[in-house]
Amino acid sequence: MPHIASRHLAEGPRVGIRHFTHEDGAEFTARVRESKDLHQPWLFPPDTAAAYARYAGRLIEDPTKAGFLVCETATGALAGYININNIVGGAFQSGALGYGAFAHAAGRGLMREGLNLVIDHAFGPMRLHRLEINVQPGNTASIALARACGFRPEGFSPNMLYIDGAWRDHERWALTVEMRACGRST
């Protein structure tokens, strides 16, 4: 199920990023099912065609969301996904990031490369000023990715999000255009 590299919004040495399409459903849901042990209990991305259609539809149609697929440039295979949610303009110019790697790509640095491409896109063409990541304290892989991309810890929110049947605590991490320009992320 390879994808055409020319559809990428940006490319690095090993991955490119592009927007979600409805046609990505079969590969996306197959990758989610393969990655269940990696994702849970942190993430519950769509694993059926109907759930994917609703999920992708929101990312494609809602102007307060932007969804990006991280694709391996050599094969076109989906390595993961990164979404910017709750995009607010005006004086705020901010969005909240959510992301997940697929099992075959985990631990290979592909999501770090992809997240850096998304950050550049958010701070460039999207003209955002600030990105936030909210992550459960026990999700060490997600925290490591945030830290590796230059996000700084800003606080702790008890019972912030309802995930897997309970209200979960989250650490808040953030990155601004100024922090990025100062070389806080690589």
Side-chain angles (χ1 to χ4, degrees):
M1 296 174 254
H3 300 284
I4 301 166
S6 64
R7 296 193 320 177
H8 292 158
L9 299 166
E11 283 189 15
R14 297 180 298 151
V15 302
I17 58 167
R18 63 178 178 77
H19 289 295
F20 278 72
T21 69
H22 291 288
E23 292 76 24
D24 293 307
E27 182 180 0
F28 188 94
T29 56
R31 297 284 186 199
V32 166
R33 289 188 300 272
E34 294 167 0
S35 305
K36 184 177 178 180
D37 290 342
L38 177 66
H39 291 160
Q40 294 179 5
W42 320 113
L43 300 173
F44 296 85
D47 62 357
T48 67
Y52 177 84
R54 289 188 300 274
Y55 179 79
R58 287 189 301 270
L59 291 169
I60 293 166
E61 297 165 18
D62 185 340
T64 68
K65 299 179 185 310
F68 302 92
L69 294 169
V70 178
C71 307
E72 295 184 63
T73 53
T75 64
L78 300 183
Y81 60 96
I82 302 166
N83 300 329
I84 306 176
N85 299 299
N86 307 322
I87 298 170
V88 178
F92 200 38
Q93 296 296 329
S94 182
L97 288 172
Y99 46 78
F102 293 129
H104 75 282
R108 296 174 43 205
L110 301 177
M111 287 300 290
R112 179 178 178 177
E113 187 177 323
L115 183 53
N116 277 309
L117 292 171
V118 169
I119 293 166
D120 289 344
H121 187 75
F123 289 162
M126 291 180 71
R127 301 180 55 88
L128 295 179
H129 175 259
R130 176 184 173 86
L131 294 170
E132 297 181 11
I133 296 171
N134 295 293
V135 59
Q136 293 177 61
N139 189 344
T140 56
S142 187
I143 291 169
L145 179 58
R147 183 176 282 119
C149 290
F151 286 77
R152 70 172 181 224
E154 288 199 331
F156 182 79
S157 298
N159 301 322
M160 181 181 181
L161 292 173
Y162 193 78
I163 299 173
D164 195 25
W167 289 99
R168 308 292 178 178
D169 298 342
H170 281 71
E171 293 181 13
R172 293 188 322 275
W173 294 72
L175 179 68
T176 64
V177 168
E178 293 83 4
M179 291 166 58
R180 186 89 166 163
C182 290
R184 297 241 356 230
S185 65
T186 53

